[in-house]
Structures are given as C-alpha cells and as structure tokens.
Amino acid sequence: MSTDCIFCKIVTNDIPSNKFYEDDEVIVFHDIRPIAPVHFLIVPKLHVESLADCDETHQNLLGKMLLLAPKLATQLGLKGFRTMINTGREGGQEVFHIHIHVFGGGETLPKT
Ligand code: 5GP
Ligand code: ZN
C-alpha cells in the first residue's frame, strides 16, 4: 500500500471505481478514459510500481493477471482484444502501480 497511489486508493475503496472483478490478489475496473468501447485495467492489490520492478516473487501474480484478460474479455463480449503494459515514463506510464490494459470492441484495432 502506498498512501499517495491512486490505484491503492481504488483497491481500498477510498476512491470509487467501476470495478467488476475482485479476488484476494487482484481487482479489475473500467478505465476512466477508455480508448476503445471496452477498456479495463487488471490491477494487483499489492503495490508494485511497474513491470520493471517485478522479479521472480511476482511471477505467479503476473501469470494470474495475464490469464484473467481472456476470461474477463470474453465475459464482456469481446471476440478479440489488445493487452498493454506501459512501463516507466518513457513507456507512457502515468499511474505508477503496475496494471494491464485490456481493450477492444467495435472496429478492428490498428496494427501499431
Ligand atoms: P498508464 O498510462 O499508467 O498505463 O495508464 C493509466 C490509466 O489509468 C489511464 O488509461 C487512465 O485513464 C486510468 N486512470 C487514471 N486514473 C484513474 C481513476 O481514478 N479511475 C480509473 N478507473 N482509471 C484511471
Ligand atoms: Zn499503489
């Protein structure tokens, strides 16, 4: 838990979110600024800043997060989706609590 982290505050319900999945290790909620008709974020309850801060101790958690993507995408009616993990400022990361973006729906996504 990091006191000034927006996703930690979402985990503890101090900031509301449109959460639709939760278990003991992970929460999943819709992105507040979606870039596709469906756009959600898979977020661990554990505060880890980014993928670059992960090591072998996070292997099971990362695997669990990744495997949630197709399950939840299917539940939301997506036939395909894109996953994205922005890492570090130069990687476009804005919220420094690791998360996987999952988005799709509507038109076929562009190649890049
Ligand atoms: P990043 O650029 O760090 O990979 O992505 C952070 C994402 O979190 C952005 O897509 C942004 O729209 C989303 N986001 C930031 N603050 C909030 C919030 O308070 N609630 C929700 N639901 N999403 C947020
Ligand atoms: Zn955090």
Side-chain angles (χ1 to χ4, degrees):
M1 168 83 188
S2 166
T3 46
D4 56 357
C5 169
I6 197 161
F7 284 0
C8 281
K9 288 182 178 151
I10 288 177
V11 166
T12 55
N13 280 316
D14 289 310
I15 291 178
S17 72
N18 198 344
K19 175 172 71 182
F20 63 96
Y21 174 87
E22 180 168 16
D23 63 30
D24 54 337
E25 292 179 304
V26 177
I27 64 167
V28 183
F29 52 87
H30 294 282
D31 198 295
I32 207 165
R33 287 182 274 124
I35 58 169
V38 175
H39 181 179
F40 60 87
L41 303 173
I42 301 176
V43 179
K45 291 187 172 178
L46 180 72
H47 179 86
V48 182
E49 284 203 5
S50 80
L51 189 57
D53 297 290
C54 290
D55 59 30
E56 290 72 18
T57 65
H58 303 101
Q59 194 161 303
N60 287 348
L61 180 61
L62 290 170
K64 175 176 181 170
M65 289 167 63
L66 202 54
L67 289 175
L68 269 173
K71 280 189 197 150
L72 297 176
T74 301
Q75 276 178 28
L76 294 181
L78 297 181
K79 295 186 177 70
F81 58 87
R82 180 165 294 168
T83 48
M84 179 173 79
I85 306 175
N86 296 325
T87 303
R89 263 178 226 292
E90 290 187 21
Q93 187 173 4
E94 286 176 9
V95 176
F96 286 86
H97 179 133
I98 190 173
H99 51 280
I100 302 178
H101 293 255
V102 181
F103 51 94
E107 307 258 319
T108 302
L109 289 164
K111 270 293 161 206
T112 51

